[in-house]
Amino acid sequence: MSVESESSAPGPAHLLIEVMGVRWRAPDGDFAVVDAVDERGDDHVLVGPLSHLAEGESAEVWGDIRLHARHGQQVHVSRVRVQEAVSETALLGALRAIKHVGLQGASYLLERYGTEVLAVVDRDPGSALRDVPGIGPARIGPAVDSWEQQRAGRALRLFLDEHGVPASVAGRIQRAFGTGAIEKLRSDPYSLTLLDGIGFATADALARALGTPPDSDGRIDAGLRHALHEAERDGHCVLPRPELEERARRLLGTDVGDRVDMLAARGELIVDTTTGGPGAPPLVADARMDAIERRLATSVRTLIEAEPVDLLKEEPVRPVAGAFVPSDDQWDGVMQVVAHRLAILTGGPGTGKTATMRALVDLLQAGGKHVRLCAPTGKAARRLSETTGAEATTIHRLLEWVPGEGFVRDAEEPIPGADVLIVDEASMLDAPLADALLGAVGPSTHVLLVGDVDQLAPVGPGRVLEDLLASGAVPAVRLTEIFRQAAKSMIVRAAHAVNEGQYPPTVPGPDDVRDFFVVGQDDAQATVDEIVALVTRRLPDHYGLDPTADVQVLAPMHKGPLGIDALNTALRAVLNPDGAVVPGTPLRVHDRVVQSRNDYEHELMNGERGVILVHDAERETILLGTDDGRKLTLPVASADTLRLAYAMSVHKAQGSQVPAVVVPLFTGHAIMLTRNLLYTAITRAERVCVMAGQPRAIGLALRRRESHRRHTRLAQLVVAPA
């Protein structure tokens, strides 16, 4: 096997190597640093998707030789093909990797079956492994499963390599599709686009390698569906047809117009020519998302057109004395709920949304009515319960999610025991969740949506609260008066200033609570050091806070010197340097983590945070302590949805608050900096908010609101159903 570039010089490399040892395996199950020797006897350090390699194994690798300033010469591997294990060392390594086998069991198998041991185990793993010392009836099942996974992994990597798919994605594919991954990919190579971190280009490369022509109907159809699904990830429910066709054309390199009509004729896409307005292009939606938006609009219309239920036996008396005396707008918010089946209460920090909800709850409960309260996240629900004195729950728990089946509560079995339903943090409602919630409202229940419409739009598709306000059809009260006690907080004043496009005040008045600071640092590394000091030492010491649970860094972007990834690395190095690694994940015991997408089975929703308390290696589980006080036992395999959360995105922090918030300021984040983002970050802080870095980045954010318009139809469908 030749080397295409001299090992002493940077450039492409193609090597046949034997693994001498594994220096380090990343907990994510893919990346590794490997010591190897090539066929000429030259030593190499390989880095890349090599964690499946074991000492003694031979492999053919392709990559680039690079000179690292600290670690010297390395081969960065992009493609690897494992050779059949033949040496004793390689065979022992493969056998030791089987769960419950270990070195003693591997030696037993090798001695008994010789160099044909892998083929023997492949033919009948149950029989071959049952006699291994230490494997009894309780362990034979996991051992066989472990072998089957290894066998499937080897076959998958060979299959991907033969078809030109990078080895780095093999681990994610196997975790998602299991032992049937190859059959899945042969039948539907574009299913790869459903996996996080694997784009259409990779799926398309596999499909083309399997013989799919570039102008095939199946390829174009997959590209169109992918373009719409990517648009949903950007928050859109629909796309104007020209924009969809242009997105798909860039993706596919071919015209797609005819296929839009064909998919529409089959009912897979919906072409809407009625809601865009005069002269506007048709709007195109995935059939599933079209049904969600239309169903949600129907639920809204049903509520606003329905006669209100007589909630109170007599005209309520507005409080004029006592602990809470409502303003005109606050009392109007209370009365809108009494007078209408659906109402909205919105306003910024310090305007009394919580006090208004508490007054409404007190009024209704005094009259013997049942009030149910909910919020999108567990942390928000717990805070809602504390501030109103009434029990609150998450929306998913309210709707009684059943794994594998969906929500129990719907139009046929509506939410029970609710004369009034209060939904807090309603700005976080995306279209699918709002559809499920309002579709499960009973025939006599009144609903109040409470939220700050100036916060960031929800992570999922749609902008429900904003659209309902824009429709003008839903009775709504916007609180604008900042109450005197709240006005003393510089956090509150800073938030309102940013929302109005003004630079936040940093100099306190004589009666102000100094809880908002801007710390200038022009250098990126100096800013990282400043943030680490603030989180780990200065804020906890001054305010008596737990640096892991009570201080949260909120950043606009993942990449870059002041991105979420870099900050998580720097913060974990101080806050959890010695946590035990959870094998197969990038996590450690005692890590601060955030859920990255909804896990309905374990009732762990996107954005919910917690700390990994325990790793049980025998049961392959972790114990997660969530911020809302729960303790969840999760399979390690489910931990791929958890991310480090010493630093996290502002979007992920919606619906929750923490005592201290630190926001990095960096002009390199300009593409993401908006008023809404800074406003949302500031309003997450309960006791103190510190912005650290380049103050001129604030000016960049103040000049822009949301970075892009969301294409939705809810407002139009509510007032003029198609």
Side-chain angles (χ1 to χ4, degrees):
M1 185 66 62
S2 64
V3 178
E4 295 176 1
S5 176
E6 291 298 323
S7 62
S8 60
H14 180 193
L15 306 168
L16 183 63
I17 58 91
E18 180 181 351
V19 177
M20 307 307 293
V22 179
R23 291 190 185 184
W24 183 77
R25 281 189 176 92
D28 65 7
D30 293 320
F31 186 85
V33 180
V34 171
D35 287 316
V37 61
D38 67 20
E39 60 183 343
R40 300 187 307 185
D42 292 334
D43 293 326
H44 298 276
V45 176
L46 311 181
V47 297
L50 305 165
S51 65
H52 57 293
L53 295 182
E55 182 180 345
E57 284 193 300
S58 297
E60 189 176 358
V61 299
W62 292 258
D64 293 291
I65 296 176
R66 304 178 191 175
L67 294 176
H68 191 282
R70 180 178 175 186
H71 301 296
Q73 181 175 291
Q74 298 176 329
V75 181
H76 285 247
V77 176
S78 58
R79 179 183 170 195
V80 56
R81 178 184 294 161
V82 180
Q83 307 295 306
E84 184 179 357
V86 292
S87 72
E88 181 176 313
T89 302
L91 291 170
L92 285 173
L95 295 168
R96 287 180 65 182
I98 306 172
K99 189 175 180 65
H100 300 312
V101 169
L103 179 58
Q104 181 181 358
S107 300
Y108 167 83
L109 288 169
L110 183 59
E111 181 177 350
R112 181 171 181 179
Y113 298 113
T115 57
E116 298 298 313
V117 61
L118 299 186
V120 172
V121 178
D122 261 346
R123 281 196 296 271
D124 191 347
S127 296
L129 298 176
R130 187 170 287 110
D131 295 332
V132 171
I135 294 186
R139 290 184 168 183
I140 185 63
V144 171
D145 289 344
S146 174
W147 177 258
E148 295 289 357
Q149 290 171 12
Q150 286 187 51
R151 178 165 58 181
R154 291 196 306 272
L156 176 62
R157 284 183 169 84
L158 181 61
F159 172 79
L160 295 176
D161 179 74
E162 289 174 347
H163 295 93
V165 178
S168 57
V169 304
R172 274 172 286 170
I173 295 172
Q174 186 174 7
R175 287 192 291 272
F177 296 150
T179 56
I182 294 176
E183 290 74 16
K184 174 72 172 176
L185 295 179
R186 285 190 184 280
S187 63
D188 182 13
Y190 292 102
S191 61
L192 281 178
T193 60
L194 301 176
L195 306 185
D196 287 343
I198 302 180
F200 182 85
T202 299
D204 197 38
L206 175 60
R208 299 288 296 278
L210 290 171
T212 303
D215 59 349
S216 74
D217 292 346
R219 178 173 182 262
I220 295 174
D221 293 353
L224 282 165
R225 287 191 292 265
H226 178 70
L228 277 174
H229 293 162
E230 286 296 295
E232 288 180 21
R233 292 185 182 184
D234 292 338
H236 304 295
C237 294
V238 295
L239 281 180
R241 180 165 179 164
E243 182 175 340
L244 170 62
E245 292 186 4
E246 179 57 28
R247 286 189 181 212
R249 189 179 298 112
R250 289 198 304 266
L251 189 69
L252 299 165
T254 187
D255 187 68
V256 301
D258 291 343
R259 295 308 301 173
V260 173
D261 294 325
M262 186 62 67
L263 289 174
R266 296 209 306 248
E268 295 180 33
L269 299 184
I270 305 298
V271 179
D272 183 350
T273 60
T274 62
T275 56
L283 299 173
V284 184
D286 177 87
R288 175 189 56 84
M289 183 54 67
D290 174 79
I292 286 171
E293 264 201 313
R294 292 182 185 278
R295 203 163 49 232
L296 174 57
T298 299
S299 296
V300 170
R301 287 198 312 274
T302 298
L303 286 169
I304 60 179
E305 293 170 0
E307 287 294 321
V309 176
D310 188 8
L311 291 174
L312 302 175
K313 296 179 180 178
E314 55 188 34
E315 187 71 20
V317 178
R318 175 176 170 178
V320 295
F324 173 63
V325 178
S327 67
D328 291 345
D329 285 343
Q330 287 176 316
W331 189 246
D332 186 25
V334 171
M335 297 312 296
Q336 291 289 354
V337 179
V338 175
H340 302 281
R341 289 283 309 282
L342 178 64
I344 294 173
L345 179 69
T346 187
T351 58
K353 297 190 300 296
T354 299
T356 304
M357 283 191 285
R358 187 167 59 240
L360 175 63
V361 170
D362 291 344
L363 176 68
L364 293 168
Q365 289 183 338
K369 297 301 179 183
H370 297 287
V371 184
R372 300 198 69 173
L373 300 95
C374 64
T377 68
K379 185 79 177 288
R382 186 172 67 172
R383 191 179 72 250
L384 179 62
S385 182
E386 292 169 350
T387 55
T388 63
E391 183 180 354
T393 185
T394 64
I395 294 173
H396 287 81
R397 199 167 299 167
L398 177 76
L399 297 178
E400 300 179 31
W401 174 267
V402 175
E405 297 181 18
F407 293 119
V408 170
R409 298 299 167 187
D410 56 18
E412 299 299 320
E413 294 189 56
I415 300 164
D419 294 307
V420 173
L421 175 65
I422 299 176
V423 185
D424 197 15
E425 297 290 353
S427 64
M428 294 179 65
L429 288 175
D430 60 21
L433 185 56
D435 169 47
L437 179 62
L438 295 187
V441 170
S444 60
T445 299
H446 287 222
V447 179
L448 174 64
L449 303 178
V450 183
D452 185 347
V453 75
D454 292 318
Q455 289 188 26
L456 288 169
V459 175
R463 49 175 190 183
V464 172
L465 188 65
E466 185 178 351
D467 280 348
L468 293 182
L469 287 168
S471 75
V474 182
V477 173
R478 181 158 193 157
L479 303 177
T480 57
E481 179 185 351
I482 304 174
F483 288 89
R484 184 168 57 186
Q485 188 64 32
K488 294 179 180 180
S489 167
M490 293 184 69
I491 289 176
V492 171
R493 289 167 52 205
H496 284 277
V498 166
N499 196 39
E500 294 164 8
Q502 301 171 7
Y503 200 91
T506 57
V507 179
D511 296 326
D512 285 346
V513 177
R514 193 178 187 192
D515 51 12
F516 177 81
F517 303 86
V518 176
V519 179
Q521 286 284 2
D522 200 55
D523 178 73
Q525 186 56 52
T527 303
V528 171
D529 295 341
E530 183 79 38
I531 289 172
V532 170
L534 284 165
V535 172
T536 64
R537 179 172 46 83
R538 291 166 57 189
L539 291 174
D541 290 351
H542 187 77
Y543 291 93
L545 302 175
D546 180 332
T548 299
D550 298 334
V551 186
Q552 183 64 61
V553 177
L554 299 178
M557 295 178 66
H558 281 268
K559 302 302 180 183
L562 278 166
I564 293 167
D565 296 341
L567 289 167
N568 268 321
T569 298
L571 289 165
R572 180 161 74 170
V574 178
L575 293 174
N576 189 26
D578 302 318
V581 169
V582 179
T585 80
L587 307 173
R588 303 174 184 169
V589 176
H590 306 311
D591 265 342
R592 178 81 165 154
V593 294
V594 60
Q595 177 72 353
S596 64
R597 62 176 181 264
N598 290 339
D599 180 348
Y600 299 112
E601 181 178 355
H602 300 102
E603 292 190 27
L604 193 61
M605 298 299 111
N606 190 356
E608 292 199 84
R609 287 168 286 173
V611 173
I612 296 176
L613 302 175
V614 176
H615 169 232
D616 187 326
E618 183 68 23
R619 293 182 173 83
E620 295 188 341
T621 61
I622 59 172
L623 181 65
L624 181 70
T626 66
D627 281 4
D628 61 350
R630 292 177 294 155
K631 286 185 170 61
L632 303 177
T633 299
L634 306 174
V636 169
S638 296
D640 62 352
T641 60
L642 296 174
R643 303 287 183 268
L644 289 181
Y646 303 100
M648 57 188 281
S649 71
V650 182
H651 277 93
K652 283 281 190 282
Q654 290 187 86
S656 64
Q657 289 184 296
V658 289
V661 166
V662 179
V663 183
L665 297 173
F666 184 47
T667 55
H669 294 160
I671 192 173
M672 292 296 294
L673 290 173
T674 65
R675 282 191 225 171
N676 314 69
L677 183 135
L678 281 194
Y679 175 79
T680 303
I682 294 169
T683 55
R684 301 308 90 203
E686 295 173 326
R687 294 178 59 185
V688 60
C689 178
V690 182
M691 293 188 166
Q694 300 168 325
R696 62 184 181 276
I698 297 177
L700 295 177
L702 295 179
R703 290 194 287 271
R704 300 171 61 226
R705 290 194 67 83
E706 278 274 16
S707 57
H708 67 274
R709 176 177 177 264
R710 292 193 170 197
H711 295 294
T712 66
R713 301 171 299 164
L714 181 59
Q716 294 90 341
L717 290 172
V718 166
V719 297

